[in-house]
Amino acid sequence: MTALRLAGLATLAAVALIASLAFGAAELAPAAVLEVLGGGGDDVARTVVLELRLPRALLAALVGGALAMAGAVFQALLRNALAEPYILGVSGGAAVGAVAAIALGWAAAGAWALPAAAFAGATLAILLVFRIAAGAGPGRVLDTRVLLLAGVVVGAFFNAIILLLLTFADAETFRSAVFWMMGSLAGATWGSAAALALWLLPSAFALIAL
């Protein structure tokens, strides 16, 4: 039954991925999309599908898989169905790192700069959460309930920092930061999708093995 469900979900994911390539400012019929994926199609259709929509669709699928995997790992480690990156403040820390990189101009240093800043912020957030939870727990023993509350507090703190950074940002920086936090895929490229896959796939195999 589990294998059947997984096969069904994989089929739905593949259908959704192909369907996403047909919708946008330039209308393309599903048959035209399949023709491009098969190596044919006219130049306009190939540019729209292969250079714009397919990298965005793949990046969206990878990000969704990464968030799902992170949530499952947090729930398994903490034995709590409420645990996930947003509640534990990890996503807030990542957002602070990314917004700071955009506001300070570090994001222009290279394609790796923004993800590195976000990762640094997420790492700082989880370290703060564990430190607060360890210090507040009875007998300095880590209590998962306290850990979740510490995550809420740290998440609120980082949200305040984001608002502070955006308050002093110019209009273009504000727009870029807000679009990033909303999950914009406008800047997706084959390189960014490959970079995420390079980190995500080995991590997924390692976590599944554990």
Side-chain angles (χ1 to χ4, degrees):
M1 182 61 71
T2 300
L4 186 61
R5 289 176 179 174
L6 289 175
L9 289 173
T11 302
L12 287 176
V15 170
L17 185 66
I18 294 175
S20 69
L21 302 179
F23 294 99
E27 295 185 7
L28 293 176
V33 172
L34 292 175
E35 185 179 2
V36 170
L37 295 178
D42 58 64
D43 292 341
V44 174
R46 289 182 61 82
T47 299
V48 170
V49 172
L50 298 180
E51 300 301 325
L52 296 176
R53 294 183 183 174
L54 189 54
R56 294 175 185 179
L58 291 176
L59 188 62
L62 289 170
V63 169
L67 287 173
M69 183 174 65
V73 169
F74 275 122
Q75 291 172 9
L77 287 175
L78 302 177
R79 300 292 190 270
N80 192 309
L82 293 177
E84 45 96 13
Y86 291 94
I87 288 182
L88 287 178
V90 178
S91 295
V96 166
V99 171
I102 294 172
L104 298 175
W106 298 342
W112 53 269
L114 195 58
F119 182 77
T123 303
L124 175 61
I126 198 64
L127 290 176
L128 281 175
V129 168
F130 276 112
R131 180 67 184 86
I132 293 171
R140 301 186 71 81
V141 175
L142 191 63
D143 188 327
T144 55
R145 294 169 299 180
V146 177
L147 188 68
L148 291 174
L149 292 175
V152 172
V153 172
V154 170
F157 173 70
F158 279 127
N159 284 335
I161 294 179
I162 292 171
L163 292 177
L164 181 64
L165 290 171
L166 293 179
T167 299
F168 295 102
D170 57 59
E172 184 59 33
T173 300
F174 181 91
R175 183 174 179 272
S176 298
V178 170
F179 276 16
W180 187 91
M181 289 187 293
M182 290 174 62
S184 173
L185 298 168
T189 62
W190 284 106
S192 59
L196 179 56
L198 183 65
W199 288 100
L200 177 61
L201 295 179
S203 302
F205 286 122
L207 289 171
I208 291 172
L210 293 173

